[in-house]
Amino acid sequence: CSPGWPQLWSIVVMDTVNVIIVTLSLPDMAAAFFNGGVDPCAGGAGRDAPACQEALGKFANLMTLLGLVSALLNFGFGPLIGAAADRLGTKPLFVASTLAKFVTGLFFAGLALGHMSIYYVLISTEVISLLPAKLTYGLWIVERTPPEHRSVTFARLGAATALEGIVAPLLAVLLTPKSAAMVVLALGCAVLVTAVVCLPGSPSAGATASVRPPACLPGVPRQQRIGQQLRGLLKLFAHPKYRLVVLLSLIGGALEAGFASIWFLYLKEKFGMTLQTMAPILSLTTLSNLVAQIWLIKPLQRRFGLKGVISMAFLSGIVTCTGYLLAPTPGALLLVAVLSGLGGLADPGITAVITNLASADEGELGMTLGAAFSVGSISSIVGPLLFRALFAGGFPGLPFVFAIATDVLAVFVLSRVPSNLF
């Protein structure tokens, strides 16, 4: 096995494809599960059938509850997982995370073959929330990347974990539930073997593991575990060098999660679009993000600096939301999708700033990044709740008006962040 980067990117891509397959397949499997094993949405009245709507309604309510639980688990355990990485390195976290996902794949295959309850799959996904992939990948990248290259690497990570627009259309044509289960199992095995056998250990793991026991492991007093968690969170909100950057992270995360939560509903409400007619817009948006995150971020950062790149991302958000608000036809949204890619540079840029600042805190890099991930989980709760409430307020475009105003606020906050922090 080679030094590590090929293994990381292969794990990221295979894991992302697995997540997409499970996410897209579960609604149909859930409809059959809640209807005695027969899919009520197939044939006849399709998704307009009362039995189909009832089954999907149960699944949607269950997913809403589990999504909230998952976000709370992310919030509570982020600093503790990060503190463990400071002392043990990231490979043990990788192995534990991939093992948990492989077990989820087994449950998913059992559900697809009709031999297992959907609740096993859903509960196992909550266990995975204790070791979130984004945090694990981020810690691994920070260990091996100099500060000036982190924004580019995080952008590539964002591109590798945003493949829905490419993978989803292929899945709709090529995979049945049983074949999807086989693909998930095969990719899960490949990811597990790559993480256990080929992925190198942390450069600093041996040097730090013997200093003191990680505060999240059994045998460590509960007060110390809570203190570790609170110290990481308070540090982000109280320390002058973190406050404004964390606020930008909250704004950006809430906007991204909120936009995703009402995107389909808005297009269906305004233009009567279906999943099939939305596919070109989704694919173009994904390709635009890939171009920005893989090829554009490096020259843009060289020309305008990291602060300039983040500013462009929020300005791009203003253009994108204005386009969705004012577009007269679905065809106009294709142009908006092409221009939307720069908006995806905010998250890797802000993440790079936080990691660079945290690198100066001796022995607490993982804890600080874990706390930053916990803050991000707040955005994943607040954003969708706020955007859905605005969408239900009578004017479907209201969430986009709010997003435009919030992007303007973000640009103002960014202007107040000292340039020496970038």
Side-chain angles (χ1 to χ4, degrees):
C1 295
S2 60
W5 287 106
Q7 295 93 301
L8 173 71
W9 295 123
S10 62
I11 288 174
V12 171
V13 171
M14 289 189 292
D15 189 39
T16 298
V17 172
N18 257 4
V19 170
I20 294 171
I21 292 175
V22 172
T23 301
L24 294 179
S25 302
L26 269 183
D28 289 336
M29 293 183 180
F33 177 80
F34 289 120
N35 194 54
V38 179
D39 187 355
C41 305
R47 293 186 180 264
D48 293 327
C52 175
Q53 293 182 355
E54 181 182 356
L56 292 179
K58 289 181 181 178
F59 178 66
N61 291 335
L62 188 59
M63 290 303 294
T64 299
L65 175 62
L66 292 177
L68 177 60
V69 173
S70 177
L72 292 175
L73 288 174
N74 289 166
F75 177 78
F77 281 84
L80 304 182
I81 298 301
D86 283 332
R87 292 147 179 84
L88 297 178
T90 53
K91 181 164 182 174
L93 302 184
F94 255 105
V95 173
S97 177
T98 53
L99 181 59
K101 291 172 185 175
F102 179 71
V103 172
T104 298
L106 290 175
F107 291 155
F108 177 76
L111 173 65
L113 298 174
H115 303 309
M116 194 163 288
S117 167
I118 194 173
Y119 291 106
Y120 286 101
V121 179
L122 298 179
I123 292 173
S124 66
T125 59
E126 296 305 297
V127 176
I128 294 173
S129 298
L130 301 177
L131 294 164
K134 185 177 179 180
L135 175 58
T136 308
Y137 299 153
L139 289 168
W140 200 93
I141 287 171
V142 169
E143 285 181 339
R144 292 164 172 79
T145 310
E148 64 272 16
H149 295 156
R150 285 174 185 165
S151 61
V152 175
T153 309
F154 280 121
R156 290 172 180 167
L157 176 63
T161 54
L163 302 175
E164 291 89 347
I166 298 173
V167 177
L170 296 176
L171 295 182
V173 176
L174 300 177
L175 295 184
T176 64
K178 290 184 180 180
S179 62
M182 296 303 102
V183 172
V184 167
L185 280 180
L187 291 178
C189 285
V191 169
L192 186 59
V193 170
T194 304
V196 173
V197 178
C198 295
L199 195 71
S202 299
S204 58
T208 58
S210 60
V211 176
R212 59 185 184 276
C216 60
L217 295 183
V220 177
R222 180 171 177 269
Q223 292 84 352
Q224 185 177 342
R225 295 198 303 269
I226 295 174
Q228 192 84 286
Q229 180 187 33
L230 291 178
R231 185 155 58 96
L233 292 172
L234 290 175
K235 177 181 180 180
L236 292 182
F237 288 106
H239 200 291
K241 73 177 183 180
Y242 287 108
R243 279 195 300 247
L244 292 179
V245 180
V246 170
L247 178 58
L248 285 173
S249 178
L250 281 170
I251 292 174
L255 288 175
E256 182 180 0
F259 183 89
S261 70
I262 57 98
W263 179 79
F264 175 83
L265 297 173
Y266 176 76
L267 294 184
K268 190 174 184 66
E269 173 81 16
K270 184 171 182 177
F271 298 113
M273 299 180 74
T274 64
L275 283 173
Q276 288 73 26
T277 57
M278 291 178 194
I281 299 174
L282 179 59
S283 296
L284 276 177
T285 301
T286 302
L287 289 173
S288 180
N289 282 327
L290 289 177
V291 170
Q293 293 173 330
I294 295 176
W295 289 290
L296 294 183
I297 185 171
K298 191 171 184 177
L300 287 176
Q301 183 176 339
R302 190 183 301 118
R303 176 66 180 83
F304 300 102
L306 188 52
K307 187 173 185 178
V309 169
I310 298 172
S311 180
M312 287 181 191
F314 285 115
L315 291 173
S316 174
I318 295 174
V319 173
T320 300
C321 290
T322 303
Y324 272 91
L325 185 64
L326 302 180
T329 64
L333 293 176
L334 296 176
L335 177 60
V336 176
V338 171
L339 299 175
S340 65
L342 288 178
L345 300 182
D347 180 66
I350 294 171
T351 302
V353 175
I354 293 175
T355 57
N356 293 344
L357 294 176
S359 297
D361 301 327
E362 187 68 28
E364 294 187 348
L365 174 61
M367 184 189 69
T368 304
L369 293 185
F373 184 82
S374 293
V375 171
S377 69
I378 299 174
S379 302
S380 69
I381 299 173
V382 174
L385 289 176
L386 185 56
F387 272 63
R388 286 170 184 162
L390 292 171
F391 181 79
F395 172 49
L398 189 58
F400 295 96
V401 175
F402 172 78
I404 292 169
T406 308
D407 276 318
V408 172
L409 173 63
V411 173
F412 172 75
V413 172
L414 181 62
S415 69
R416 310 300 297 173
V417 180
S419 297
N420 64 342
L421 296 184
F422 292 88

